[in-house]
Every structure is written in C-alpha cells, then in structure tokens.
Amino acid sequence: MAEPFEIRDPIHGFIELDEWERDIVNHPVFQRLRRIRQLGLTDMVYPGATHSRFEHSLGVMHVATKMFDAIVGRRRGFLVDTYNYDEEGAGLAKDRRIVRLAALLHDVGHAPFSHSGEDLMPEVGKGRRYKHENYSAKLVADLMTDVIEKHPLNQNYDITAQDVADFIEGKPADSLEGKSSAGRRLFWRNLVSGQLDADRADYLLRDSHHIGVAYGHYDLERLLTTLTAVEDPETGSPTLAIEEGGLHAAEGLIIARYMMFTQVYFHHTRRIYDHHLVEAMRSLLAQSKGMFPSPIDKEGLEEYLKWDDWRVVGRLAAGNGGTHGEIILNRRHDRRVYETPEFPGRDDLQRLEAARKALGERVIFEDRAQNSWYTIDSTDIPIVRKAKLDQEVVARLSERSTVVSGLRAVNRRRIYVPIGQSEECRRIVAQMLSSQESDG
C-alpha cells in the first residue's frame, strides 16, 4: 500500500489522506472550498477569521475517523451483534470509509461566505428553502461519481456516490429500526450531524484558534476516550453516548458552544455584516430573482459552483453590490442602537416595542437570536454509568448536569439604524426610556 499523504493542520497536527481521498480533495467541487470562508465576514470584527471551509472539512474527516475508531475499539461486540457485521469486519471497514468520505464532503454545498448565503437559496416547498446539505448531496451524487465510484481503491468497498450523498442528507429517514446497512449508516451519521458530531468538535477549536479567543476550547481527547455506543432506553435504537468519566468533558463542549455563540457568532457587528452581505449578494443575483441556482439538475449545480467568495468580492469591488456593497467596502455598517438582554422578560420586550415605534422608519434591520446551543429532548447526550453486576445505566446529560439543565435558548433582539442616524436614534431611545422610568 502506498504511503499516506499528510497535510499539516494547525488544530490536529497532521491529517492523513490516501490516494483516493487525495483525488477527491483535488476535485474542483472540493477545491472550491478554498474560496469559501468558514465565518463569512467575521474578520470585520476578528481580523484573524479568514480560514476556509477547505481546512475545516479536512478537520471534520480527521475527527470523525478518530470518533469512529474509538467507538469500534470500545464497543465492537455491541455493534457486531446489533448490526450483523461479519466477523472479519468488512462491513465496519466500508462504513468507516463512508464516514470519512461524507465527513470530508459534507460542506461542499455551502454558498459564498458559508451560512450568510443560505437565505438566498431557492425554495424547495412552501416556506422551506434548500439547505447547503441538499446542495452537498446533489453535488456528490451528480458531479463526483467518477472520482468516487471508479477509483481503484473502491474495488474492495463498492461505494457509490449516492451512498455518500444519502449519508450526508440522513437518508433513508425511515430506516432507524432493524439491522439493515441503512439503519447502521444512520447511527454513524451522528458522527457528522448530531450533539456529539465531528463538525462541531472541529469548528469550535478551529474558529477559536483563528479568531484568537479561548471561548471554544474543550477537552477533545477526553471526549474521545469516553465516547461509546449504547442502546437508547427510550427508543431502543443504538446511539452515541459518553461514559460517566467524560461527563465534565461533555459539559465543556456544551459551554464552549454557548460561549462561542454569545461572544462570536451572535456578535452585534458580525450579525449586521451578515445582513449587508445577504442584501449585496441579492443585488448580484438580480437576474435570477435574487436567488442562487437550484440544485435540481447538473446545469444548475455547475452554475452554482461558479459562485464563491472570490466572485462575490470581485463584483462588490466593481461596484455591483448596490448600497449594501458600498457599506461593506467602506466599513460603514448600520449601527445597533437598542438591544434586549439575552433572556428578555415581558418588560424588556415592551421596551423594545416602544423603541421600535419611537424610531419609526429609521429602523433598517431587526435581529433576533433564536438559537439553542443544546437541545434537551430525545437528542440530549446519553451518559452511561456502570451499575452493580456490570449493568449499564443510561441517563441524559441534562439529568446529570446542573450546568446543562440550567441552559436556555438565547432570545436577544436588536435594532439597527444607518450609521449617519445612530447618534440621533440613541438619543431618541434614551429619552423614551427615561420617560418610561419617570412614568413608572
């Protein structure tokens, strides 16, 4: 077997690729990720935030593989019994390969500037838009067939591009029960999209590194040494879990997500640049009704691939982004003049409404955080504790952790106005609040 190729990574050290994976990385669909920033225009606030989806995708593959190997090493017998893997483990080897390929390719469908562009994806149905995962799956299934299916290293696996695409989208959704390959693929998909996934595990560390903050740090190595698989006591299906010794590492992951959301991803200046960028790109897409091409056919996919950060920036620099493009070029963004606390009460919301009315047509943009960095429901991380007679007791992280059980979704709201009116608007809001206090 040929020596693996190594890519030096600032987060994980060396990331290894074989010839097949290297050829996939060299494919134009994947190379486009070099020209897609991980965090949009976050560098307007944190100048170091210029890293790309390319390096993140390599990192997700690396972490997902370490997670897979950790679980198989710890729970091989459980997995073989549950999913009828053969004794030689050929099925495990194939699934490991699919996990690596899906983790590597899960983000190829991102729009320019990553999540900022998702508001410009066309509707797939009433009130529903395509997501980048849908584009990723279609790009893999329709444009990467040759490099996936016809590669010599695929002879031992017989993996199709559709296998990888279905894994990315979580299909078939009705195969959670039983011992089918589809059912076990859905179990492994938790490594790419779930509460304990490699995607979050990588971007928290990577974003923190490039931004220069410590908010996203957590103990990845401890998570890997305590990651396991158990039967969910509520659904009866296999699920990812953390052994009791890793409880505080799991808490650390959740807290890291909370801190990164409040301090970075929902930063007030970063968020207004998301707004300006969406509106500027809408102007650039005017000929297609302000939307990116649909992923329903190869023609649309090939046109979509032409859109990356370089194309957008070039057209903005040429003056084609309208008013919002000029705002971005000159860094003259709209200003926040009022915001509620992270967890507003009734009085806070009433003051917000009063401020909105007082400002009237001066209000350009209203932002609202509707994000829960952790869901306390059926997806709550299971914690496994050894009981007497070597029995396993499974509880939810929110049941074992007072830290996690006390978390709530941030619901902060903000009002923005043009920069030239910001001082006047702040005075209006201050007078309004002072008047309310006097009346009270």
Side-chain angles (χ1 to χ4, degrees):
M1 178 178 285
E3 288 292 321
F5 299 91
E6 292 182 331
I7 298 176
R8 185 180 287 275
D9 179 70
I11 308 304
H12 307 297
F14 285 103
I15 294 175
E16 291 188 352
L17 305 169
D18 62 20
E19 293 181 11
W20 187 10
E21 292 157 351
R22 184 194 62 170
D23 290 345
I24 290 174
V25 166
N26 285 334
H27 193 282
V29 168
F30 192 83
Q31 285 293 309
R32 171 179 172 270
L33 295 182
R34 292 183 183 272
R35 306 185 297 277
I36 305 289
R37 287 192 183 185
Q38 175 80 4
L39 293 177
L41 289 179
T42 301
D43 64 307
M44 290 290 195
V45 182
Y46 298 99
T50 57
H51 52 302
S52 70
R53 289 278 158 181
F54 183 90
E55 63 177 271
H56 165 64
S57 296
L58 292 170
V60 175
M61 180 189 70
H62 177 78
V63 175
T65 305
K66 294 185 75 171
M67 289 179 165
F68 185 100
D69 291 346
I71 294 168
V72 171
R74 194 166 290 113
R75 297 287 282 170
R76 185 185 185 91
F78 170 78
L79 294 170
V80 168
D81 292 343
T82 301
Y83 289 122
N84 287 340
Y85 285 107
D86 58 50
E87 292 183 2
E88 289 75 26
L92 278 169
K94 180 175 181 176
D95 284 0
R96 184 180 189 273
R97 177 67 75 169
I98 290 177
V99 167
R100 280 181 66 83
L101 296 184
L104 182 65
L105 296 169
H106 78 289
D107 271 353
V108 293
H110 263 296
F113 295 97
S114 293
H115 292 289
S116 301
E118 292 207 350
D119 286 344
L120 303 178
M121 290 179 173
E123 289 190 356
V124 65
K126 188 174 181 180
R128 292 174 51 242
R129 294 188 183 280
Y130 285 107
K131 297 181 179 180
H132 75 269
E133 293 91 347
N134 305 126
Y135 280 85
S136 295
K138 288 291 290 180
L139 286 166
V140 169
D142 292 2
L143 300 186
M144 303 189 75
T145 304
D146 286 353
V147 74
I148 292 176
E149 297 181 5
K150 297 181 180 180
H151 199 282
L153 290 182
N154 192 23
Q155 292 178 359
N156 295 329
Y157 303 105
D158 195 27
I159 294 171
T160 68
Q162 193 62 55
D163 288 336
V164 180
D166 287 346
F167 190 100
I168 290 171
E169 285 195 297
K171 295 179 179 178
D174 59 350
S175 297
L176 285 170
E177 300 295 334
K179 300 185 177 183
S180 66
S181 62
R184 75 187 192 220
R185 298 273 167 74
L186 283 175
F187 165 73
W188 289 122
R189 189 176 184 270
N190 290 320
L191 297 180
V192 179
S193 180
Q195 295 284 14
L196 285 169
D197 65 29
D199 185 28
R200 292 183 177 93
D202 181 80
Y203 76 62
L204 288 171
L205 296 175
R206 192 170 302 278
D207 293 351
S208 297
H209 171 82
H210 286 286
I211 288 171
V213 300
Y215 302 126
H217 291 183
Y218 65 96
D219 193 347
L220 174 59
E221 291 306 313
R222 185 58 176 162
L223 283 179
L224 290 173
T225 59
T226 56
L227 187 62
T228 187
V230 297
E231 182 178 292
D232 190 303
E234 296 179 10
T235 67
S237 300
T239 186
L240 297 183
I242 293 291
E243 294 175 349
E244 187 174 31
L247 186 149
H248 294 307
E251 286 179 330
L253 176 68
I254 305 307
I255 296 303
R257 287 169 60 186
Y258 162 67
M259 294 297 292
M260 286 294 284
F261 177 79
T262 57
Q263 301 301 310
V264 177
Y265 306 139
F266 197 65
H267 187 283
H268 65 96
T269 303
R270 202 204 76 81
R271 286 291 297 157
I272 193 60
Y273 272 106
D274 278 350
H275 168 67
H276 291 311
L277 186 55
V278 168
E279 295 307 315
M281 287 195 290
R282 198 187 305 278
S283 297
L284 301 181
L285 291 163
Q287 291 185 344
S288 56
K289 299 181 180 179
M291 295 290 159
F292 288 113
S294 171
I296 60 175
D297 54 39
K298 287 187 177 180
E299 182 180 356
L301 290 171
E302 289 170 351
E303 183 62 32
Y304 179 76
L305 287 176
K306 296 176 183 178
W307 285 97
D308 56 29
D309 294 10
W310 291 11
R311 188 181 198 185
V312 171
V313 169
R315 296 191 177 193
L316 293 183
N320 298 322
T323 301
H324 292 276
E326 293 179 6
I327 286 173
I328 293 171
L329 290 173
N330 297 312
R331 204 178 186 278
R332 299 279 293 172
H333 56 275
D334 294 345
R335 293 308 200 256
R336 170 196 58 175
V337 294
Y338 187 77
E339 70 177 358
T340 69
E342 288 185 0
F343 311 106
R346 179 180 300 177
D347 292 344
D348 299 312
L349 296 177
Q350 289 176 347
R351 283 190 285 271
L352 175 78
E353 183 62 28
R356 184 190 298 114
K357 289 181 178 180
L359 295 173
E361 295 182 357
R362 300 177 184 85
V363 176
I364 294 295
F365 177 62
E366 294 183 44
D367 197 16
R368 177 175 181 175
Q370 292 179 297
N371 184 287
S372 177
W373 51 90
Y374 187 67
T375 304
I376 301 176
D377 57 15
S378 60
T379 63
D380 191 359
I381 296 173
I383 302 295
V384 183
R385 178 172 59 86
K386 293 291 185 182
K388 294 181 179 179
L389 301 178
D390 222 22
Q391 293 179 333
E392 293 180 336
V393 177
V394 181
R396 299 293 178 183
L397 178 59
S398 60
E399 297 170 349
R400 298 296 310 281
S401 168
T402 56
V403 173
V404 173
S405 64
L407 294 178
R408 292 181 291 163
V410 172
N411 192 28
R412 171 167 277 163
R413 304 186 191 186
R414 295 177 177 137
I415 294 175
Y416 293 82
V417 302
I419 185 172
Q421 301 179 30
S422 59
E423 292 303 319
E424 176 191 2
C425 290
R426 288 191 179 98
R427 285 195 296 271
I428 292 172
V429 171
Q431 291 172 0
M432 180 272 298
L433 294 175
S434 177
S435 175
Q436 284 189 344
E437 290 177 0
S438 298
D439 293 342

